[in-house]
Amino acid sequence: MSSIQLGHPWPLGAAITARGVNFSLVAPAATRVELLLFARGSSPEPFRIIPLDARHRSGDHWHVEVEGIGEGTCYGYRVYGPLMPGGHGFTPSKVLLDPCARAISGWDVYRRRDAIGAIPNTASCLKGVVTERDRFDFVAAPRPRHSWQTTVIYELHVGGLSRGQGSPVAAEHQGSLLGVIDALPYLRSLGVTALELLPVMAFDPQDAPHGRQNYWGYSPLSWMAPHQGYLVGDDPLAGRQQVRQLVTACHQAGMEVLLDVVYNHTSEGNQDGPTLSWRGLADHLYYHQNSRGDYQDVTGCGNTIAANRPLVRRLLLESMRCWALELGIDGFRFDLGIALSRGEELAPLDQPPLFEEIEADPELSDLKLVSEPWDCGGLYRLHDFPARRMGTWNGRFRDDVRRFWKGDDSLCWSMAQRLSGSPDLYGGKPAKAGRSITFITAHDGFTLADLVSYGVKHNLANGEDNRDGDNHNNSWNHGVEGPCSDPQISELRNRQIRNLLGTLLLAPGVPMLLMGDEVRRSQGGNNNTWCQNNPLGWMHWRPDDDDQALHQFVSRLVGLRRRLEGLLNPESPHADTPPSRPGERDLIWREWHGLELLQPDWGSWSHSLAWSLHDLRHGPLLWCGMNAYYQPMTFKLPEPSEGWLRLIDTGQIAGEELLVSPQPLNAETAALQGRSLMLLVAPHLIEATGL
């Protein structure tokens, strides 16, 4: 039998040593701990139980070194201690998953319901698996390190991207991390620079209504282990290497990889939920609770992680370092990230210790960090988000752009703010580079095709009588709900898609595209496909001619943004007035217009807006008109010294709305069709940028 040593409190989790494996577990209030070793993930009973007494405890950490075992060992814990207020907490009948396990086994026997109540779940529990902790090879695949100014994000679901009829991905790779590699040529054709993956940390597919599965993954079981459902093969040890393969391929293709991480809650739900890991180890440590032991929930998922506490912060930082340094990930998007800024009694903190520690860690200093600035408890902090390096999702950009092109009143002033970097939302100044993530659609909500095809959500397939999902979508079906054979309605919908995408990619900020929007992927009006692992949640791989025309438009639009990034997304915001000193000949300023030059109409009735960029050396550089009115409008143009070239006109037929060879426009006015967008540039920009 393997020899037992006292072990060490660091590193956390299971770490291979020269003699075997060192195990370290945080359980401050525990009175006794047992380490259970299993022959395999499906074993109904452990082959060895190792009791840990006070000699194996250092402060809040329980530890032991077991000689003669190594990589691939399956293990779990039983933890003993007093019941907490509310009658929950330690449940020694449950086998607990190590929060620091970097791989998980036992999926074939796992039953979530067995983790509820007092009945033992040994035969149906998940087990941690001992793995290597090697660092990612940044020499072979260095981080691309794109600046925020040049970044274009593509949000995708790993399981859904490579699935769907017509998928170019090999059948054995569909729905997997490796399947994303097979799809990289397609993603490169769009010109995006960063992939944002919906949760790939291990989550519980069984955390869903009966007959459905949790598909999106916002139900974390582990913050360290890759999700088994995204792996090719059954070997849990292969997961980390498959993540590295994906990241390596992306880096070598010039793309960064960002992870959507769910640190604000876990799959254990409220006090009536299953005891899987954190609850059985340190219930009152990990979760915000009141004096009665009731869980305090600002996430909408039954519990809220107490990220203000030192031991919890240590675990979250260990997770980030695991994915960034061992697996090569380039950044993180924090789901409901502002919830991580709450302190005791859920009080918002201006200097959240978790964010301070993230920003103080030199090995995390080159990561891209993004967060949702809201949580379900009403906290919303955009310009004053309490982290210096954190970008935030600009939800007002999404809402105002949707409403403008839908034809709502009183939107021209708000649109001007969004097109200027949202100074009204960021303390009176345009958002700094990397602070504002702009988007029209995201995973939670309508796809772009559905946004212009449905007036209301259609979520009956989710089994909640259409109660789930947001009711305030700012969508418009253009006269017919859902699919339509009327050519005029179809043409208008296609034009509106281009108007929305054009606005997104011509505006300052960090634009994010949703998987499949470039080929009009539809979810049949379902705006919350969190439990739809079927064609509703999969990629659209059989594009028709209109879909292919839109794909061409998007790829050209992304390329246009890249070539004009200094104008469209400057490192420093453009001035509002011409320079007053002769030495500022290269200073660029913005002017606002309506149908008449320098006379923007901010009235509630106005649905048209134009803007232009100028410098003293060349005069007018660029002019953009946006007509959200249903009738054509004629705009007066600034007079450039060389005339204008038309780059974009969404009023043209598909395929001619963004031409490879810009067309001259020698006129004092520009006629914009109803609900259309036009972009004109000075000829010298074509020569300078290679457009």
Short mmCIF file of all heavy atoms in Angstrom, two decimals, residues 21 53 90 115 191 254 268 274 292 296 311 322 371 377 380 400 417 440 486 498 507 528 588 605 610 637:
data_model
loop_
_atom_site.label_atom_id
_atom_site.label_comp_id
_atom_site.label_asym_id
_atom_site.label_seq_id
_atom_site.Cartn_x
_atom_site.Cartn_y
_atom_site.Cartn_z
N VAL A 21 1.68 12.11 -5.34
CA VAL A 21 0.79 13.25 -5.56
C VAL A 21 0.53 13.94 -4.22
O VAL A 21 0.24 13.28 -3.22
CB VAL A 21 -0.55 12.81 -6.18
CG1 VAL A 21 -1.50 14.00 -6.31
CG2 VAL A 21 -0.33 12.14 -7.53
N ASP A 53 -6.21 13.83 9.75
CA ASP A 53 -6.46 14.38 11.08
C ASP A 53 -5.78 15.74 11.20
O ASP A 53 -5.32 16.31 10.20
CB ASP A 53 -5.98 13.41 12.16
CG ASP A 53 -4.50 13.05 11.99
OD1 ASP A 53 -3.75 13.86 11.40
OD2 ASP A 53 -4.10 11.96 12.45
N PHE A 90 -22.03 21.14 5.66
CA PHE A 90 -21.32 19.87 5.58
C PHE A 90 -22.30 18.71 5.43
O PHE A 90 -23.26 18.58 6.19
CB PHE A 90 -20.45 19.68 6.81
CG PHE A 90 -19.33 20.67 6.90
CD1 PHE A 90 -19.36 21.69 7.84
CD2 PHE A 90 -18.25 20.59 6.04
CE1 PHE A 90 -18.33 22.61 7.92
CE2 PHE A 90 -17.22 21.51 6.11
CZ PHE A 90 -17.26 22.52 7.05
N ALA A 115 -27.05 14.13 -5.60
CA ALA A 115 -26.27 15.03 -4.75
C ALA A 115 -27.17 15.89 -3.86
O ALA A 115 -26.68 16.74 -3.12
CB ALA A 115 -25.39 15.93 -5.60
N GLY A 191 -12.13 38.04 -41.05
CA GLY A 191 -11.21 39.07 -40.60
C GLY A 191 -11.27 39.36 -39.12
O GLY A 191 -10.64 40.32 -38.65
N GLY A 254 -3.24 33.98 -36.01
CA GLY A 254 -3.33 35.40 -35.70
C GLY A 254 -4.55 35.79 -34.90
O GLY A 254 -4.90 36.98 -34.86
N GLU A 268 -24.47 24.76 -7.91
CA GLU A 268 -25.10 24.21 -6.72
C GLU A 268 -26.41 24.90 -6.34
O GLU A 268 -27.13 24.42 -5.46
CB GLU A 268 -24.12 24.27 -5.55
CG GLU A 268 -22.95 23.30 -5.73
CD GLU A 268 -22.00 23.27 -4.56
OE1 GLU A 268 -21.64 24.36 -4.05
OE2 GLU A 268 -21.60 22.17 -4.14
N PRO A 274 -28.04 20.80 -5.11
CA PRO A 274 -27.13 19.68 -4.86
C PRO A 274 -25.85 20.11 -4.16
O PRO A 274 -25.41 21.26 -4.29
CB PRO A 274 -26.84 19.16 -6.27
CG PRO A 274 -26.99 20.37 -7.14
CD PRO A 274 -28.11 21.17 -6.53
N ARG A 292 -29.48 34.10 8.76
CA ARG A 292 -30.30 32.89 8.88
C ARG A 292 -29.79 31.75 8.01
O ARG A 292 -30.32 30.64 8.06
CB ARG A 292 -31.75 33.20 8.49
CG ARG A 292 -32.44 34.24 9.36
CD ARG A 292 -33.92 34.36 8.98
NE ARG A 292 -34.08 34.64 7.56
CZ ARG A 292 -34.08 35.85 7.03
NH1 ARG A 292 -33.89 36.91 7.80
NH2 ARG A 292 -34.25 36.01 5.73
N GLN A 296 -27.95 34.62 -0.60
CA GLN A 296 -28.24 35.92 -1.19
C GLN A 296 -27.89 35.85 -2.68
O GLN A 296 -26.76 35.54 -3.05
CB GLN A 296 -27.43 37.01 -0.48
CG GLN A 296 -27.82 37.15 0.99
CD GLN A 296 -26.93 38.11 1.74
OE1 GLN A 296 -25.70 37.99 1.73
NE2 GLN A 296 -27.53 39.08 2.41
N LEU A 311 -9.73 33.66 0.62
CA LEU A 311 -9.59 32.29 0.13
C LEU A 311 -10.36 32.07 -1.17
O LEU A 311 -9.95 31.26 -2.02
CB LEU A 311 -10.07 31.30 1.20
CG LEU A 311 -9.18 31.19 2.44
CD1 LEU A 311 -9.85 30.36 3.51
CD2 LEU A 311 -7.81 30.61 2.08
N CYS A 322 -4.45 29.20 -14.28
CA CYS A 322 -4.50 27.88 -14.92
C CYS A 322 -4.79 28.02 -16.41
O CYS A 322 -4.09 27.46 -17.27
CB CYS A 322 -5.56 27.02 -14.23
SG CYS A 322 -6.00 25.50 -15.12
N SER A 371 -16.05 42.63 -19.04
CA SER A 371 -17.06 42.24 -18.07
C SER A 371 -18.43 42.78 -18.47
O SER A 371 -18.54 43.82 -19.13
CB SER A 371 -16.71 42.78 -16.68
OG SER A 371 -17.72 42.45 -15.73
N GLY A 377 -29.11 41.96 -9.35
CA GLY A 377 -29.52 42.67 -8.16
C GLY A 377 -29.67 44.16 -8.37
O GLY A 377 -29.85 44.91 -7.40
N TYR A 380 -25.37 48.41 -11.65
CA TYR A 380 -24.98 48.70 -13.03
C TYR A 380 -23.91 49.78 -12.98
O TYR A 380 -24.18 50.92 -12.61
CB TYR A 380 -26.19 49.18 -13.84
CG TYR A 380 -25.99 49.19 -15.35
CD1 TYR A 380 -26.87 48.52 -16.19
CD2 TYR A 380 -24.94 49.87 -15.94
CE1 TYR A 380 -26.72 48.52 -17.57
CE2 TYR A 380 -24.77 49.88 -17.31
CZ TYR A 380 -25.67 49.21 -18.13
OH TYR A 380 -25.50 49.22 -19.50
N ASP A 400 -29.70 51.53 -28.31
CA ASP A 400 -29.94 52.75 -29.07
C ASP A 400 -29.81 52.52 -30.58
O ASP A 400 -30.59 53.08 -31.36
CB ASP A 400 -28.97 53.84 -28.62
CG ASP A 400 -29.30 54.38 -27.24
OD1 ASP A 400 -30.42 54.13 -26.76
OD2 ASP A 400 -28.43 55.04 -26.63
N GLN A 417 -24.12 60.18 -29.70
CA GLN A 417 -23.29 59.80 -28.57
C GLN A 417 -22.62 58.45 -28.81
O GLN A 417 -21.43 58.27 -28.55
CB GLN A 417 -24.14 59.74 -27.29
CG GLN A 417 -24.75 61.06 -26.88
CD GLN A 417 -23.69 62.08 -26.52
OE1 GLN A 417 -22.84 61.86 -25.66
NE2 GLN A 417 -23.71 63.22 -27.21
N ILE A 440 -24.44 44.49 -31.31
CA ILE A 440 -25.86 44.56 -31.64
C ILE A 440 -26.58 43.33 -31.09
O ILE A 440 -27.71 43.41 -30.63
CB ILE A 440 -26.08 44.67 -33.16
CG1 ILE A 440 -25.28 45.84 -33.75
CG2 ILE A 440 -27.57 44.81 -33.48
CD1 ILE A 440 -25.70 47.19 -33.24
N ASP A 486 -42.47 37.56 -49.10
CA ASP A 486 -42.67 38.85 -49.75
C ASP A 486 -41.30 39.45 -50.09
O ASP A 486 -40.51 39.74 -49.18
CB ASP A 486 -43.44 39.78 -48.82
CG ASP A 486 -43.81 41.10 -49.46
OD1 ASP A 486 -42.94 41.69 -50.16
OD2 ASP A 486 -44.95 41.55 -49.28
N ARG A 498 -27.71 45.09 -42.78
CA ARG A 498 -26.50 45.80 -43.20
C ARG A 498 -26.39 47.15 -42.49
O ARG A 498 -25.28 47.60 -42.16
CB ARG A 498 -26.51 45.96 -44.71
CG ARG A 498 -26.20 44.66 -45.45
CD ARG A 498 -26.65 44.70 -46.91
NE ARG A 498 -26.18 43.55 -47.65
CZ ARG A 498 -26.72 42.33 -47.58
NH1 ARG A 498 -27.75 42.11 -46.78
NH2 ARG A 498 -26.23 41.34 -48.31
N ALA A 507 -18.43 52.49 -35.92
CA ALA A 507 -18.41 53.24 -34.66
C ALA A 507 -17.14 52.93 -33.87
O ALA A 507 -16.59 51.83 -33.97
CB ALA A 507 -19.65 52.89 -33.83
N ASN A 528 -33.56 32.80 -26.26
CA ASN A 528 -32.91 32.27 -25.06
C ASN A 528 -32.66 30.77 -25.24
O ASN A 528 -33.20 29.94 -24.52
CB ASN A 528 -33.80 32.51 -23.83
CG ASN A 528 -33.10 32.19 -22.52
OD1 ASN A 528 -31.90 32.35 -22.40
ND2 ASN A 528 -33.86 31.71 -21.55
N ILE A 588 -7.64 65.84 -36.39
CA ILE A 588 -8.91 65.48 -37.03
C ILE A 588 -10.05 65.88 -36.11
O ILE A 588 -10.00 65.68 -34.90
CB ILE A 588 -8.95 63.96 -37.31
CG1 ILE A 588 -7.87 63.60 -38.33
CG2 ILE A 588 -10.33 63.54 -37.82
CD1 ILE A 588 -7.75 62.11 -38.57
N TRP A 605 -38.68 64.08 -33.59
CA TRP A 605 -39.26 63.61 -34.85
C TRP A 605 -38.20 63.19 -35.88
O TRP A 605 -38.53 62.58 -36.88
CB TRP A 605 -40.09 64.75 -35.46
CG TRP A 605 -39.28 66.01 -35.57
CD1 TRP A 605 -38.40 66.35 -36.56
CD2 TRP A 605 -39.23 67.06 -34.62
NE1 TRP A 605 -37.80 67.55 -36.30
CE2 TRP A 605 -38.29 68.02 -35.11
CE3 TRP A 605 -39.86 67.31 -33.40
CZ2 TRP A 605 -37.99 69.19 -34.42
CZ3 TRP A 605 -39.57 68.48 -32.73
CH2 TRP A 605 -38.65 69.41 -33.23
N ALA A 610 -26.12 62.70 -40.07
CA ALA A 610 -24.88 62.54 -40.84
C ALA A 610 -23.72 63.11 -40.04
O ALA A 610 -23.91 63.97 -39.17
CB ALA A 610 -24.99 63.24 -42.19
N LEU A 637 -23.58 67.71 -48.98
CA LEU A 637 -22.27 67.14 -48.66
C LEU A 637 -21.23 68.23 -48.46
O LEU A 637 -21.26 69.27 -49.14
CB LEU A 637 -21.81 66.21 -49.78
CG LEU A 637 -22.67 64.99 -50.07
CD1 LEU A 637 -22.15 64.27 -51.31
CD2 LEU A 637 -22.70 64.07 -48.87
#
